Amino acid sequence: MPRLSAVGISGLQAGEDVKLDLDHFKQVNDHYGHLAGDACLRHASQRIQQRLRSSDLLARFGGEEFVVLLEGTDLTGALDLAEQLREDIARHPCHYQQHSIPLSLSIGLHAGIPSTPNCIEHWLELADRALYRAKAEGRNRVIGYQDNTCDDA
């Protein structure tokens, strides 16, 4: 988390925390096997990374979740990028052995201007809430949340 905090507060400028989750990933592992699941994770991360700037940070956040920190990006720009990522993953299945494995992303994001390193963890939590809302509303969608407050307590 120190690198995330350092990236997130550099210059105290607007930024986005984006959480992405491959939908129904357990079914991929169950149906095609864990090696195919690993291939899908690599495929998704490569496709995501291709659309990011060198100043953005992509990290696997556990299981089938990823986090992206978009430095100097407002909510509108982040929503546009998130929608592009979602559409790109849906249009480009993962090819593994003789299988074409369809994938989709649910994406939650949070916009704001960090005031302290503690904001990063709080804002990742808010992005996570948006992600769960995207899943609850049917998956394969983008939900954004904007809040400039950070409760350090």
Side-chain angles (χ1 to χ4, degrees), residues 66-77:
F66 297 91
V67 65
V68 177
L69 296 182
L70 303 172
E71 195 170 8
T73 304
D74 64 8
L75 182 62
T76 301

Side-chain angles (χ1 to χ4, degrees), residues 3-103:
R3 170 120 193 258
L4 294 179
S5 295
V7 170
I9 63 168
S10 67
L12 297 179
Q13 57 184 321
E16 291 287 332
D17 299 327
V18 181
K19 295 219 35 200
L20 307 96
D21 186 85
L22 288 171
D23 296 326
H24 305 293
F25 190 71
K26 183 181 181 324
Q27 293 175 4
V28 171
N29 279 334
D30 291 349
H31 188 264
Y32 299 100
H34 289 276
L35 293 178
D38 289 346
C40 290
L41 290 170
R42 286 190 304 276
H43 170 78
S45 66
Q46 289 166 355
R47 295 212 66 86
I48 294 165
Q49 188 67 56
Q50 288 173 357
R51 293 191 174 262
L52 301 180
R53 303 165 300 186
S54 61
S55 62
D56 299 331
L57 176 67
L58 170 66
R60 187 168 171 199
F61 207 67
E64 66 277 8
E65 285 189 16
F66 297 91
V67 65
V68 177
L69 296 182
L70 303 172
E71 195 170 8
T73 304
D74 64 8
L75 182 62
T76 301
L79 287 168
D80 288 345
L81 174 63
E83 188 59 33
Q84 290 173 25
L85 294 172
R86 188 195 64 75
E87 289 174 358
D88 183 72
I89 293 295
R91 278 195 315 266
H92 297 95
C94 176
H95 298 286
Y96 179 75
Q97 295 179 348
Q98 288 78 33
H99 304 286
S100 178
I101 305 171
L103 299 172

Side-chain angles (χ1 to χ4, degrees), residues 1 4-5 8-9 17 114 116-125:
M1 194 67 81
L4 294 179
S5 295
I9 63 168
D17 299 327
T116 70
N118 294 340
C119 284
I120 299 301
E121 287 185 41
H122 175 69
W123 288 357
L124 284 171
E125 180 183 324

Side-chain angles (χ1 to χ4, degrees), residues 137-152:
E137 292 183 14
R139 301 180 193 269
N140 193 27
R141 65 191 62 230
V142 176
I143 300 289
Y145 180 70
Q146 187 165 9
D147 177 19
N148 286 323
T149 63
C150 181
D151 182 8
D152 292 335

